[in-house]
Amino acid sequence: MSGSGGFYRYRCKYFYTHNCPNWVYVNNSPCANCCAEGRDVEEPNAQMPSWRHSREICVPRVEDGTVHYTLMEIVNTDESGNQWTLRYKVEQTQVPTVSTTSATPGVPVPATSY
């Protein structure tokens, strides 16, 4: 322990599998070089292909000075990733409404009396 400063050093997580010569301070962890090379990227086993993911968006629509937001999704229709369809995510009766106005509050005036 003399000269080490009180910290234990361990071999990199990839010492045996990738012959990494580096040392780390946390047991069973990768070194900075192995992280930079992408060795410690964990991928889920049952990952869905990226072309099958839906992407939800809120589409604004203005009617009579009222902004309506419609929840929709962009869905890929084929495996090539070139065909996308925009479709409603929820029924139209469930859409929340946000009222807008052209009146804005004035600039605050500092108090002159203490």
Side-chain angles (χ1 to χ4, degrees):
M1 266 317 258
S2 65
S4 66
F7 294 99
Y8 291 106
R9 291 188 329 164
Y10 303 96
R11 287 286 189 177
C12 175
K13 179 180 180 179
Y14 298 102
F15 173 70
Y16 293 111
T17 57
H18 291 87
N19 199 22
C20 180
N22 297 322
W23 295 84
V24 294
Y25 291 106
V26 178
N27 194 17
N28 199 24
S29 64
C31 67
N33 290 340
C34 290
C35 287
E37 291 176 4
R39 291 183 183 152
D40 201 46
V41 176
E42 295 182 15
E43 298 176 11
N45 293 338
Q47 185 180 10
M48 207 164 82
S50 63
W51 63 269
R52 297 284 295 167
H53 289 241
S54 67
R55 289 158 177 84
E56 296 179 357
I57 58 171
C58 287
V59 179
R61 180 174 40 106
V62 179
E63 291 180 4
D64 300 326
T66 304
V67 177
H68 300 277
Y69 289 95
T70 305
L71 185 61
M72 301 184 90
E73 63 181 344
I74 302 172
V75 181
N76 194 339
T77 57
D78 65 348
E79 293 185 20
S80 67
N82 296 329
Q83 299 291 326
W84 293 85
T85 301
L86 185 65
R87 68 179 180 192
Y88 292 104
K89 183 78 173 175
V90 294
E91 295 294 325
Q92 290 300 321
T93 58
Q94 299 175 0
V95 177
T97 303
V98 177
S99 297
T100 60
T101 179
S102 61
T104 58
V107 177
V109 179
T112 57
S113 62
Y114 295 101

